[in-house]
Amino acid sequence: MRIVGNVHSMGLGGFTGQPVEIQGNIGQGLPKFTVSGSVDASLREAKDRVRAAIVNSGFKFPELAVTVALAPAQLRKEGSGFDLGMALSLLIAGGQAATERLRGTVFLGELALDGRVRAVRGVLPLLLAARDHGFGRAVVPVANLREAALVDELEVGGAQSLSQVVAWLAGDGALDAVSDDPVPPAPSVPDMADVVGQSAARQALEVAAAGGHHVLMVGPPGIGKTMLAARLPGILPELDPAESLQVTAIHSVAGTLPDTHPLITVPPFVAPHHSVSAAALLGGGTGMARPGAVSRAHRGVLFLDECAEMGAKVLDGLRQPLEEGEIRLSRRDGDTKYPARFLLLLAANPCPCAPAHDIDCVCSSVVRRRYLGKLSGPLLDRVDIRVQMEPPGPTMLLTGQGEPSAAIAARVATARAQARERWGEQGWTTNAEVPGNALRQDFPLSRAALAPIERYLRDGRITARGADRALRLAWTLNDLRGGTSPELDDVAQALMYRDRNF
C-alpha cells in the first residue's frame, strides 16, 4: 500500500501566489485525521469536507491515522482551495488514484460533501504564479474555468467532481474545456449626454480623466454630482491587456469578479457607502489582509459620495495610496501590498442643512467650516481639481442636452496618448503619476510660465506638493489643447482649479 501521496496546489499570500506541496500519509494507529502546516480555521474544517467527499464519491476513506501536511510550514494557508489537493493526496496514498499526470500539475478547488468541486477566489493570481514557478497544467473548478483560461502558456481543465478528477488521472476520462459560448457584453456606462448644464463640472471631469487627477465636487443635493460620477468611467480609455489582468486579479482575490465577465476591460467604478470603515475602504481583515475599495478601484474611479459624512480618520487613510499608487497593509499573518492607482472623486454638500439654494442656508459660518473640516489639509492638498456646482436654470433643464460621452472620450484618448508618448520610456501612463523631480528637472517650463506658481509659493497659498500637482495639471491642460509644452495660461488655469475656498 502506498503510504504518502504528493500533490501540488497554490497558496495566496496577499496578492502573490506560492506553490504548496500537499502530502497525505496513512499510518498505523487509532483512526484520526490531522491537518498540519500553519492552516486557518477553514482548513481545519476541511477534514469533514474531504472525508465526506471521498466517501460520497464512491471511494474508501482509511480507518487509520491520517495526516495531511501542507508545506512550506512558514507560509500561512487559508481558504478552502486546498480541499481537492488534500483529497487526492489521500486517495493516492491509499492506492485509489493514479499518479502519472501529477507532474507539473496544480489542483485548486473546494469540495462539497457530495464530491462536487466548488469555485474559489484568487484563481487568476494563483495560476499566474503557478506558471511563473514552472507548472504547465492546472485543474480548477468549472466555475473558475474562464478566469483560469486567461493565463497564457498554461493548460487548464475544469473539474465538476472529485470522481471526474480521479478518472482523468487514470486516463479514463477528460476534464471540461473552456466553453466556446460568446461572453456577454459588459454592462454599459451611462452617457454624459444625460447631464444637462454643469459645464464647469463636465470640463473638470474631462481634465481629470485626461490626466488621472483627483476631483472634489461641492454643491447642493440633487444638482447632479452622483449623476456625473456614474458617467466618468464612460470617458476613460479601456484598460490595456496588462492593466486588465492586474485589475482582474485584484477582483479575483477580493471575490468580486463577475462570473459572466472573467476579464475586466472597463475601468472599475467603486462607490462605497459613506459609513464605510477604514478596513473596508483600505483593505484588511484577520490573518492576511484582503483588498479594500481603493484596490478594487485600481485603474478606475473611487467615488466617495457625501464624503463630509465620513470619519476623518477614514478619509486620512487615503493619503498614502493617493501619493504612492499602492496600499501597504500589516496584519497578523504578515505584510502585503496591493495596487491602488485610482482616480478619486469626492462629492459633498456645502453644509449640513444643504438647501437647494445657498441663500436659504441656516448654518453659521463655524458650522459650515466644521462640516467640510473632515477633509483635512493634507488630503485636500492631494486633490488637484475643486469644483463648486450651481443649479442649472429651468430653461436648460427642459431643453438642454449635454455633449455625449463618445466625443469627450475621443479628446481624453488623444490627450492620454500624447502623455503616454512623452512619459512612456519612464513607465508612466498619465500625468498624475509623474514625480515632481521629473517635471522640474527633465521637462522644465519657462520662467514666464512658472511665474504664477512662484507667486503662490511665496504667498503661502500652495505647498511644494501643491506646486508639483499644479505642474501635472498644467501638462494635462496642454495635452487637451494639443500643445507641446504648458504655457502661462495652462499654469494659471491649473492653479485656479486648486484655488477654491469652500
Side-chain angles (χ1 to χ4, degrees):
M1 181 177 70
R2 181 179 294 273
I3 301 300
V4 177
N6 286 8
V7 176
H8 283 91
S9 187
M10 298 295 296
L12 196 62
F15 193 49
T16 58
Q18 296 290 334
V20 173
E21 182 181 4
I22 304 175
Q23 294 183 313
N25 181 73
I26 302 174
Q28 297 298 321
L30 295 175
K32 65 177 181 178
F33 193 165
T34 304
V35 179
S36 64
S38 298
V39 298
D40 70 345
S42 63
L43 270 172
R44 287 192 291 270
E45 294 172 353
K47 295 184 293 186
D48 299 323
R49 295 195 299 270
V50 169
R51 183 194 299 270
I54 289 176
V55 173
N56 293 328
S57 297
F59 304 105
K60 182 180 179 181
F61 190 86
E63 296 300 330
L64 295 169
V66 173
T67 302
V68 174
L70 287 78
Q74 67 268 20
L75 175 67
R76 180 71 176 178
K77 293 92 177 172
E78 60 179 15
S80 56
F82 300 103
D83 288 6
L84 179 59
M86 292 170 63
L88 290 175
S89 71
L90 293 178
L91 291 176
I92 292 169
Q96 302 182 76
T99 60
E100 286 76 11
R101 293 184 172 181
L102 290 180
R103 182 180 296 274
T105 304
V106 293
F107 297 86
L108 301 173
E110 175 187 332
L111 289 178
L113 298 183
D114 58 0
R116 287 179 293 115
V117 181
R118 288 174 168 165
V120 293
R121 65 180 182 90
V123 166
L124 179 57
L126 288 174
L127 294 191
L128 287 171
R131 180 194 63 186
D132 295 341
H133 281 87
F135 292 96
R137 184 165 51 203
V139 177
V140 301
V142 169
N144 294 121
L145 196 52
R146 282 188 181 272
E147 179 186 351
L150 298 174
V151 183
D152 297 330
E153 303 175 8
L154 189 70
E155 178 187 346
V156 295
Q160 298 186 32
S161 65
L162 174 61
S163 57
Q164 181 187 12
V165 177
V166 174
W168 172 77
L169 287 173
D172 296 333
L175 299 175
D176 290 16
V178 181
S179 173
D180 294 330
D181 296 339
V183 178
S188 59
V189 179
D191 201 291
M192 278 282 190
D194 302 333
V195 182
V196 177
Q198 303 302 347
S199 58
R202 291 167 61 96
Q203 177 64 28
L205 292 189
E206 180 177 340
V207 175
H213 305 285
H214 310 305
V215 184
L216 168 63
M217 299 186 296
V218 177
I223 202 171
K225 301 186 293 293
T226 304
M227 193 175 185
L228 279 166
R231 286 152 178 78
L232 180 55
I235 64 175
L236 292 172
E238 285 199 350
L239 305 177
D240 63 34
E243 292 172 342
S244 291
L245 273 181
Q246 189 178 42
V247 172
T248 302
I250 293 171
H251 284 258
S252 178
V253 173
T256 57
L257 188 64
D259 295 335
T260 56
H261 301 91
L263 182 64
I264 298 176
T265 58
V266 178
F269 180 77
V270 180
H273 191 260
H274 61 76
S275 62
V276 64
S277 66
L281 182 65
L282 305 175
T286 58
M288 189 65 73
R290 293 191 183 184
V294 296
S295 297
R296 290 186 283 110
H298 179 62
R299 295 300 177 187
V301 178
L302 176 64
F303 177 50
L304 300 183
D305 198 7
E306 304 292 349
C307 62
E309 301 289 343
M310 299 177 65
K313 290 185 177 180
V314 174
L315 288 170
D316 279 340
L318 294 169
R319 287 152 59 175
Q320 181 251 324
L322 286 178
E323 195 69 27
E324 301 179 11
E326 65 179 20
I327 181 74
R328 297 187 297 273
L329 301 166
S330 298
R331 289 299 184 272
R332 180 196 64 199
D333 293 338
D335 301 335
T336 187
K337 61 181 179 180
Y338 293 105
R341 180 73 66 182
F342 55 89
L343 192 161
L344 177 64
L345 184 55
L346 300 168
N349 297 323
C351 65
C353 74
H357 298 282
D358 200 51
I359 195 173
D360 298 325
C361 176
V362 297
C363 300
S364 66
S365 58
V366 174
V367 171
R368 290 174 70 98
R369 284 196 300 270
R370 186 183 300 122
Y371 185 69
L372 292 177
K374 292 182 181 179
L375 305 176
S376 65
L379 175 62
L380 286 177
D381 202 28
R382 292 167 168 82
V383 177
D384 300 336
I385 302 174
R386 307 168 193 178
V387 183
Q388 178 74 55
M389 298 177 64
E390 301 293 342
T395 304
M396 182 172 292
L397 283 174
L398 296 175
T399 61
Q401 185 175 6
E403 187 179 20
S405 294
I408 304 173
R411 295 195 296 268
V412 169
T414 301
R416 286 215 176 191
Q418 185 168 332
R420 192 178 298 109
E421 182 179 355
R422 180 170 57 248
W423 314 117
E425 293 184 0
Q426 290 83 4
W428 306 312
T429 58
T430 61
N431 293 323
E433 300 175 28
V434 183
N437 61 331
L439 291 171
R440 295 187 300 271
Q441 298 172 12
D442 301 335
F443 295 87
L445 304 188
S446 66
R447 191 63 182 267
L450 290 174
I453 291 182
E454 293 177 352
R455 185 167 60 253
Y456 270 54
L457 283 170
R458 186 171 56 250
D459 296 342
R461 298 173 67 178
I462 58 173
T463 63
R465 181 196 292 120
D468 286 343
R469 289 190 167 274
L471 285 176
R472 297 184 186 114
L473 191 54
W475 275 105
T476 301
L477 294 168
N478 165 79
D479 293 338
L480 282 171
R481 65 174 177 82
T484 57
S485 180
E487 300 176 352
L488 176 63
D489 290 344
D490 298 318
V491 176
Q493 187 177 354
L495 289 170
M496 287 181 61
Y497 271 127
R498 294 183 57 84
D499 190 25
R500 303 290 176 91
N501 294 317
F502 298 122

